[in-house]
Amino acid sequence: MNAIGENIISLKRELPSGVKLVAVSKTKPVSDILQAYNAGQRIFGENRVGELLAKKDQLPGDIEWHLIGHLQTNKVKSIISFVSLIHSVDSFRLLKTINDEALKMSRVVSCLLQFHIATEETKFGFSIEEALKMMDSEEFSNLRSVRICGVMGMATFTDDKNLVSSEFRSLAGYFRLLKERFFKNNPEFCVISMGMSDDFRIAIGEGSTMVRIGSLIFGKRK
Ligand SMILES: *Cc1c(COP(=O)(O)O)cnc(C)c1O
């Protein structure tokens, strides 16, 4: 087997049974994605809509495509008919747009709420206060075409493992708080998407149920 296929197999062997693998294929060619596919991988993550659309049509139809990067409201329409999970819902406005477009397609689209857990200024996401305010609103409770399946977050890019751990711990805490308050008897709210190539072991230690791994599978990006 090729290197990409072997990386998939060994990662799957390492991940605990409750942790799903999203293979992050951004910037990588369709041929690389096919190698991962042929090793059994079915969930792929892309962070740009244009790139996702271009690749999707050249690849098998049973791939589950996840959008993991910042999504502009004007691009929602182009992915809504097929996307399996949007990890990067970072505003109420975006969630409402997803709901409206999903309704037009008679779909219910699965989404994660992205939280800002890192110390860096640049990363997108809700604060817990913003998320609670949204979820307490009547407008939120009227959304019928989105399914909130959990939370997503990215830790600070640092060698400080304690900082990374504590950021993942807060995300897992937000998950539990939201579960308790809004999704107590709802088994669909079950995803904690955290952990990338450099920090997925820490994320799993803090309760991750879904890791998003790119360079460890496909090699470094340019
Ligand atoms: C690129 C990216 C990843 C994967 O990063 P690696 O370090 O290559 O594993 C995961 N999540 C998001 C949101 C990304 O943009």
Side-chain angles (χ1 to χ4, degrees):
M1 192 181 286
N2 54 70
I4 291 173
E6 279 171 7
N7 293 340
I8 292 285
I9 305 279
S10 73
L11 263 172
K12 287 215 169 135
R13 199 173 292 140
E14 176 177 349
L15 296 179
S17 59
V19 178
K20 280 195 182 172
L21 173 63
V22 179
V24 176
S25 48
K26 63 189 186 196
T27 79
K28 299 295 177 180
V30 162
S31 54
D32 284 7
I33 299 177
L34 265 181
Q35 290 189 8
Y37 180 91
N38 289 334
Q41 182 64 22
R42 289 295 178 274
I43 308 177
F44 291 87
E46 289 281 342
N47 68 336
R48 288 171 191 274
V49 168
E51 188 178 343
L52 168 55
L53 293 172
K55 287 173 174 173
K56 171 193 173 279
D57 286 340
Q58 305 172 57
L59 285 158
D62 64 342
I63 287 181
E64 264 186 52
W65 291 103
H66 290 195
L67 190 83
I68 61 171
H70 180 63
L71 176 58
Q72 289 170 291
T73 50
N74 63 355
K75 302 213 169 133
V76 170
K77 195 186 171 82
S78 59
I79 59 166
I80 208 75
S81 67
F82 70 88
V83 72
S84 293
L85 182 63
I86 300 175
H87 290 232
S88 44
V89 175
D90 56 8
S91 72
F92 199 178
R93 190 168 90 96
L94 176 60
L95 188 66
K96 284 187 277 192
T97 305
I98 295 169
N99 184 75
D100 293 350
E101 294 298 336
L103 184 63
K104 287 183 205 162
M105 289 271 172
S106 309
R107 278 200 77 195
V108 176
V109 171
S110 296
C111 295
L112 305 179
L113 301 179
Q114 181 173 355
F115 283 89
H116 184 280
I117 54 171
T119 53
E120 290 129 350
E121 281 291 325
T122 54
K123 288 185 182 158
F124 296 100
F126 287 98
S127 66
I128 188 65
E129 293 78 16
E130 288 165 342
L132 290 172
K133 183 166 174 247
M134 171 177 83
M135 294 167 84
D136 279 327
S137 72
E138 195 182 325
E139 210 180 359
F140 177 84
S141 60
N142 288 334
L143 302 179
R144 291 282 174 275
S145 302
V146 285
R147 182 186 297 116
I148 309 291
C149 297
V151 302
M152 179 272 217
M154 268 183 282
T156 303
F157 184 69
T158 173
D159 289 333
D160 182 351
K161 292 198 163 66
N162 290 323
L163 179 61
V164 172
S165 282
S166 74
E167 291 171 352
F168 286 149
R169 205 171 310 135
S170 19
L171 185 62
Y174 299 158
F175 172 85
R176 284 193 303 272
L177 176 69
L178 299 180
K179 179 86 188 166
E180 176 69 26
R181 272 183 63 170
F182 302 99
F183 302 101
K184 203 159 189 175
N185 299 308
N186 183 347
E188 288 171 342
F189 189 82
C190 62
V191 178
I192 304 179
S193 168
M194 60 185 188
M196 319 193 341
S197 293
D198 289 336
D199 58 18
F200 78 92
R201 292 183 182 91
I202 301 176
I204 288 169
E206 297 297 343
S208 172
T209 71
M210 190 175 277
V211 291
R212 309 176 310 271
I213 297 184
S215 32
L216 216 54
I217 297 170
F218 296 106
K220 287 245 173 309
R221 289 179 296 274
K222 300 250 161 56

